[in-house]
Amino acid sequence: MGVSNNVVGLSLAMVSSAFIGASFILKKKGLRRAGKSGARAGVGGYTYLLEPLWWAGMITMLLGEAANFVAYVFAPAVLVTPLGALSIIVSSVLAHFMLKERLQRLAILGCLSCIVGSIVIVIHAPEERTPTSVQEIWDLATQPAFLAYAGSTLVLVIALVLHFEPRYGQTNILIYLGICSLMGSLTVVSIKAIGIAVKLTLEGISQVAYPQTWLFVTVAIVCVVSQLNYLNKALDTFNTAIVSPIYYVMFTTLTIVASAIMFKDWSGQTISSIVSEFCGLLTILSGTVLLHTAREQEIATASASGVSWQVDRASAISWYISIGTDDLLKNVEEDYFVALQSSG
């Protein structure tokens, strides 16, 4: 009896999360070593490029991203995308043992929530129905329901870019993240189509001659570039501890909706299974928020200065001045953000 596509996709998604989670630890250790012998990356130094451990982390991350890409070929987005949160669990647990970064109770609760939610989704996830050609994928992409979604997405993106960004981009975090998430949902369905085309081609059914294949490639490139551009703007403008959970929630939700509409992921499923999947997703999203909340508290505590002045001997009141800046906090938290982006 052969292994189902969902099992293959699930295995690849879990391997991807393990690799990406471990890559953050390797990169962090490489950055620490490099910082002892030269200027730190946070102040513009590049000595980490000479550190083998940092490169090991980069290679591990690339392997994880490749596994995540292939996972979308075998399993629906409703199964693959939420499992990206597992990479945060891996990095948190490894950081506890290898970097001596204490795992707080709130973070442990977040990890458990992500695990429980992932199990619920795995149990109730729909079986993947792989199209047999790019032409079939194109037919799915041109169905009225998905055309309405894609059209609405483009209208919203244009409105956000032309009208809302110039006025509220620097004060409202939802502007940049809305653009990222909307474009990200189209990125995932395009990458899934490309992955299926590559898989069929390797099996001897060439999809290279189809113009739709190259259209999907073009759409994916445009969406990825736009997504990264506005994601960088969000990271440069707002605190990463706020950007990460909001982006993960929006990106994951819109990706699942886009995939469900285009590939009809929930077709044939019972209402109870669909509701269970949403409950699992909400549990993972809650766990992710808890993890980032715990991380934000840890960084805020570590960034506080010990400089104090004794104002009154009797009451022993001390005032503490924080020497941390937003840029410093963004730099410290940078590794923790990349884990949510790969599911896409």
Side-chain angles (χ1 to χ4, degrees):
M1 184 176 180
V3 179
S4 68
N5 283 343
N6 269 23
V7 173
V8 175
L10 171 64
S11 301
L12 288 168
M14 294 182 68
V15 168
S16 170
S17 294
F19 273 62
I20 292 175
S23 73
F24 297 142
I25 306 304
L26 293 172
K27 288 170 63 181
K28 188 70 171 287
K29 289 181 73 70
L31 288 170
R32 285 184 176 181
R33 286 187 183 180
K36 293 178 181 179
S37 59
R40 293 176 55 252
V43 294
Y46 294 98
T47 54
Y48 63 87
L49 294 176
L50 302 176
E51 177 56 53
L53 204 55
W54 185 85
W55 282 107
M58 283 299 297
I59 293 173
T60 304
M61 175 173 283
L62 291 175
L63 291 174
E65 294 289 358
N68 189 63
F69 171 81
V70 179
Y72 278 107
V73 178
F74 292 95
V78 69
L79 175 60
V80 176
T81 305
L83 293 182
L86 297 181
S87 63
I88 307 177
I89 297 177
V90 173
S91 61
S92 297
V93 173
L94 290 178
H96 178 78
F97 292 103
M98 298 179 65
L99 300 178
K100 307 304 178 183
E101 296 179 359
R102 185 172 176 272
L103 198 60
Q104 300 178 2
R105 292 181 179 179
L106 191 62
I108 294 174
L109 180 59
C111 289
L112 292 176
S113 297
C114 289
I115 292 173
V116 171
S118 298
I119 292 174
V120 172
I121 288 180
V122 168
I123 292 174
H124 297 281
E127 189 66 34
E128 174 72 355
R129 292 180 292 275
T130 306
T132 57
S133 68
V134 171
Q135 181 61 51
E136 185 177 344
I137 302 175
W138 179 252
D139 292 338
L140 293 172
T142 54
Q143 60 183 318
F146 187 74
L147 286 178
Y149 175 83
S152 301
T153 296
L154 293 177
V155 170
L156 284 173
V157 168
I158 292 173
L160 288 171
V161 171
L162 298 182
H163 179 75
F164 291 97
E165 182 192 354
R167 295 171 173 80
Y168 312 108
Q170 296 296 310
T171 57
N172 192 327
I173 193 174
L174 296 180
I175 304 301
Y176 290 142
L177 295 187
I179 298 172
C180 292
S181 302
L182 288 167
M183 298 301 285
S185 67
L186 297 181
T187 299
V188 170
V189 294
S190 299
I191 286 178
K192 185 177 179 71
I194 297 168
I196 293 173
V198 172
K199 178 174 177 286
L200 292 172
T201 300
L202 294 176
E203 291 175 350
I205 309 173
S206 178
Q207 305 296 305
V208 177
Y210 287 96
Q212 293 91 336
T213 300
W214 301 106
L215 180 59
F216 282 125
V217 171
T218 303
V219 171
I221 293 173
V222 172
C223 289
V224 166
V225 171
S226 302
Q227 186 180 354
L228 292 178
N229 178 44
Y230 284 96
L231 184 56
N232 287 331
K233 287 186 177 183
L235 289 171
D236 187 56
T237 306
F238 304 98
N239 193 299
T240 308
I242 301 174
V243 171
S244 301
I246 295 177
Y247 176 60
Y248 180 76
V249 170
M250 295 177 66
F251 171 75
T252 301
T253 303
L254 289 172
T255 296
I256 290 175
V257 170
S259 180
I261 293 173
M262 179 171 171
F263 294 100
K264 303 184 184 300
D265 292 335
W266 291 318
S267 178
Q269 278 203 299
T270 62
I271 296 297
S272 61
S273 294
I274 296 175
V275 171
S276 297
E277 289 166 29
F278 271 107
C279 289
L281 175 62
L282 289 174
T283 305
I284 293 177
L285 296 179
S286 300
T288 303
V289 173
L290 289 176
L291 281 166
H292 280 282
T293 300
R295 184 62 177 170
E296 185 178 12
Q297 291 177 352
E298 179 183 344
I299 293 172
T301 302
S303 299
S305 169
V307 179
S308 62
W309 288 267
Q310 186 176 16
V311 179
D312 188 338
R313 286 180 180 273
S315 59
I317 300 174
S318 296
W319 295 88
Y320 290 87
I321 298 178
S322 171
I323 60 173
T325 65
D326 286 342
D327 289 338
L328 174 61
L329 293 179
K330 290 175 186 175
N331 180 62
V332 173
E333 296 165 337
E334 185 180 34
D335 278 349
Y336 262 72
F337 170 76
V338 183
L340 296 181
Q341 192 182 181
S342 106
S343 21

